[in-house]
Amino acid sequence: MAVFVYAENINGVYKKAAFEAVSYAKAVADQAGDTVTVISVNPTDSSDLLYKYGATNVINIKDEGLKNFSAKAYAQAVSEVVDGNILVFPHTTDASSVAPMLAIMKNYSLITNVLEAPESQAPFQVKRKAFSGKGFMHAKAEGTGVILTVSQNAFGVKENAVSGSEEVKNLSVANEDTKVISHEQSSGKLDLKEAEVVVSAGRGLKGPENWGMVEDLANVLGAATACSKPVSDIGWRPHTEHVGQTGKAIAPNLYIAIGISGAIQHLAGVNSSKTIVVINSDAEAPFFKSADYGVVGDAFQIIPALTEKIKALKG
Amino acid sequence: MKILVCISSVPDTTSKINFTADKSAFDKNGIQWVINPLDEFALTKAIKLQESQGATVTVLNVGDAVTEPVIRKALAIGANDGVRVNLDPKDSYSTAKEIASVAQNGGYDLILCGKESIDYNGGSVPGMVAQLLNQPFVNASVGLDVNGAEATAVREIEGGKETISVKLPAVIAGQKGLVDEKDLIIPNMRGIMSARTKPLQVVEPTSSEVKVQGVSYDSVPARAAVKIVSPDNLDELVRLLHEEAKVI
Ligand SMILES: Cc1cc2nc3c(=O)[nH]c(=O)nc-3n(C[C@H](O)[C@H](O)[C@H](O)COP(=O)(O)OP(=O)(O)OC[C@H]3O[C@@H](n4cnc5c(N)ncnc54)[C@H](O)[C@@H]3O)c2cc1C
């Protein structure tokens, strides 16, 4: 029986998290000698993008009524086409809103924030993130059906090309409870949770007028920007950039923390980063204990200089 | 209007997380318990609706007697009454089932939750409750207004925001932004005194079915010692990131 995976798209375009979920599903399917079937809602992107990561079948749900997102209506639509015991979602905002509703509809177990390929499939057991990144839990599902949400940037995107085929399913799911009034999306801005490199700054930057140099560094690195909680509380930066226990949890390949003390609540959201660089004027800042590389010094001098050097490297 | 706010009792955010020697459970020794920080946004929003629209606010916790101080704190913040379902919850599903069962009997217009608890990070209870009650669900809410039988919620989406009108009753899961950090209510002496006499009902659980079990737990492995690079030698930092860590 196929492993099913929900590939999230934004305005028809697949997210990186969708490819990661397909890569994950392929690993699960390979363990069991199965194939991968992708479910997607109103995509405009080509299914070829999904075959590349191991999808053998793609079911494209076409439903005008699902043009706008509704957790309940999306869960209903997915439940109408899913036909297997294992269903993989990315742990994005939308997908992780659909997954719990679907788990109830199908009477499946739900394991969220999954980090690795399953430890066993019967019973289903897998490692997941818990305690806001301060620990790991090995979770076992009861019963046969299980839904997983895969933590972003944890498993990675893995190419695994197969030849696949596509099927269109026309649905008309009722979507009467919620109505989208307005939708604002800033285009061109890198999604913080998907970013492979994140440049983050804290109260050590002294004021919002000093963020230009943080953005310059982020630009040369192709990075997203983030901040500590007090910075967004004071309003220097939008709260969407706040990372940590009460903000976003991220896991980029490189996290550069500038003028951030490294309080336990901040670490909770960033300690899954693969490499951490800390720049802080206080040699005793706790963050150095959790960093791979550190520079003790004044951010106002270091950041512009570092930006120039990276620019030179990237040529 | 009747509002139900679901709160979870979690280790204080500064807690070091330890596991029992056999790694089979979270070690609760020496832990201070607090209202899940994301639930505090939901609770404060409910109190604001109580003030502006005369709503009544019931706080609900699924937990054993150890969680009562946290419920009392929510009452001190301003909730009218509290309910505790006497079950040490083992997974999101069993928690959601108990919440839905209380909600079913209470006829609430609005159920507010935090979008995730900072202990097990399931992020699953609010959506499950919504589906069990067959109600609409808005996750990751950063704004909410109620007008009669309808609510307007703003939800965070990747790289933006979306404003949605929702038919009540509904389940809304909130986060920072639902109210401002500075508007979070710190209980005053009068609140604390009156919380002692507010009704706190204890009900027995309806079922004990569990769908996911925590089999074992691990701590996060420590990183290797930090390599300190001189601010006068940033070329070395760039080299290390490029050649050693291979991240740029
Ligand atoms: C319930 C709760 C939840 C929380 N959740 C979060 C969360 O999710 N995320 C989060 O980030 N925090 C969170 N916090 C707050 C956390 O405890 C810290 O207060 C916060 O992370 C500190 O932010 P900061 O490091 O930017 O500021 P500070 O603590 O003020 O540190 C600033 C740092 O900048 C350095 N500095 C100053 N000048 C310079 C310079 N010129 N060059 C280089 N370095 C300089 C200083 O040495 C210092 O280390 C939470 C707190 C609570 C109580």
Side-chain angles (χ1 to χ4, degrees), chain B residues 200-217:
Chain B
L200 198 175
Q201 194 195 345
V202 178
V203 299
E204 289 307 313
T206 55
S207 92
S208 57
E209 192 191 350
V210 166
K211 289 216 173 276
V212 176
Q213 284 192 29
V215 187
S216 66
Y217 297 84

Side-chain angles (χ1 to χ4, degrees), chain A residues 94 128 131-132 136 138 140 142 177 179 181-184 229 232-233 248 265 273 292-294, chain B residues 13 119-122 155-156 161-163 165 167 176 181 211 213 215-216 218 223 227 229 244:
Chain A
D94 283 3
R128 66 183 294 275
F131 298 98
S132 299
F136 303 115
H138 300 267
K140 187 179 90 178
E142 302 288 336
D177 297 337
K179 205 170 92 215
I181 300 169
S182 72
H183 183 100
E184 296 163 39
K229 177 170 175 284
S232 67
D233 288 348
K248 291 194 169 73
Q265 298 94 344
S273 309
D292 300 289
Y293 304 105
Chain B
T13 60
D119 51 4
Y120 293 91
N121 304 107
R155 72 178 187 106
E156 190 179 307
K161 280 185 205 181
E162 193 168 80
T163 306
S165 75
K167 286 209 179 110
K176 183 178 170 189
E181 181 81 20
K211 289 216 173 276
Q213 284 192 29
V215 187
S216 66
D218 299 323
R223 268 175 210 270
K227 282 193 185 162
V229 178
E244 189 176 82

Side-chain angles (χ1 to χ4, degrees), chain A residues 201-206 211 213 227-231 233 236 242-248 255 257-270 279-288 295-302, chain B residues 12-14 34-35 37 40 118 176 181:
Chain A
R203 208 147 50 176
L205 267 267
K206 313 256 184 322
W211 248 263
M213 63 177 189
C227 69
S228 67
K229 177 170 175 284
V231 161
D233 288 348
W236 293 355
H242 155 204
V243 291
Q245 187 155 28
T246 50
K248 291 194 169 73
Y255 183 71
I258 308 163
I260 299 177
S261 58
I264 191 167
Q265 298 94 344
H266 184 85
L267 287 175
V270 303
I279 298 166
N280 198 305
S281 53
D282 174 8
E284 302 299 316
F287 218 148
F288 285 116
V295 186
V296 181
D298 185 1
F300 292 85
Q301 269 141 39
I302 294 169
Chain B
D12 158 54
T13 60
T14 59
V34 296
I35 301 178
E40 268 194 74
I118 63 163
K176 183 178 170 189
E181 181 81 20

Side-chain angles (χ1 to χ4, degrees), chain B residues 85-106:
Chain B
V85 179
N86 189 25
L87 173 76
D88 183 15
K90 293 284 181 270
D91 73 345
S92 307
Y93 176 74
S94 55
T95 312
K97 282 273 275 220
E98 298 307 330
I99 293 173
S101 150
V102 170
Q104 199 104 54
N105 302 324

Side-chain angles (χ1 to χ4, degrees), chain A residues 7 28 45-46 55 65 87 124 134-135 151 155 179 188 265 270 290 308:
Chain A
V28 176
D45 257 355
S46 158
L87 174 59
F124 198 95
K134 296 187 229 174
S151 201
F155 187 77
K179 205 170 92 215
Q265 298 94 344
V270 303
S290 309
E308 286 311 312

Side-chain angles (χ1 to χ4, degrees), chain B residues 73-181:
Chain B
K73 178 161 181 215
L75 296 173
I77 285 172
N80 299 76
D81 60 344
V83 179
R84 178 170 70 80
V85 179
N86 189 25
L87 173 76
D88 183 15
K90 293 284 181 270
D91 73 345
S92 307
Y93 176 74
S94 55
T95 312
K97 282 273 275 220
E98 298 307 330
I99 293 173
S101 150
V102 170
Q104 199 104 54
N105 302 324
Y108 297 96
D109 304 287
L110 185 62
I111 299 176
L112 290 176
C113 307
K115 87 164 180 177
E116 170 174 309
S117 72
I118 63 163
D119 51 4
Y120 293 91
N121 304 107
S124 317
V125 167
M128 286 182 170
V129 170
Q131 186 57 40
L132 287 164
L133 295 170
N134 195 26
Q135 289 181 8
F137 171 48
V138 181
N139 202 1
S141 271
V142 292
L144 178 66
D145 279 319
V146 178
N147 16 46
E150 219 169 70
T152 306
V154 183
R155 72 178 187 106
E156 190 179 307
I157 53 175
E158 272 87 5
K161 280 185 205 181
E162 193 168 80
T163 306
I164 316 161
S165 75
V166 192
K167 286 209 179 110
L168 298 181
V171 179
I172 311 276
Q175 59 179 34
K176 183 178 170 189
L178 191 58
V179 297
D180 277 346
E181 181 81 20

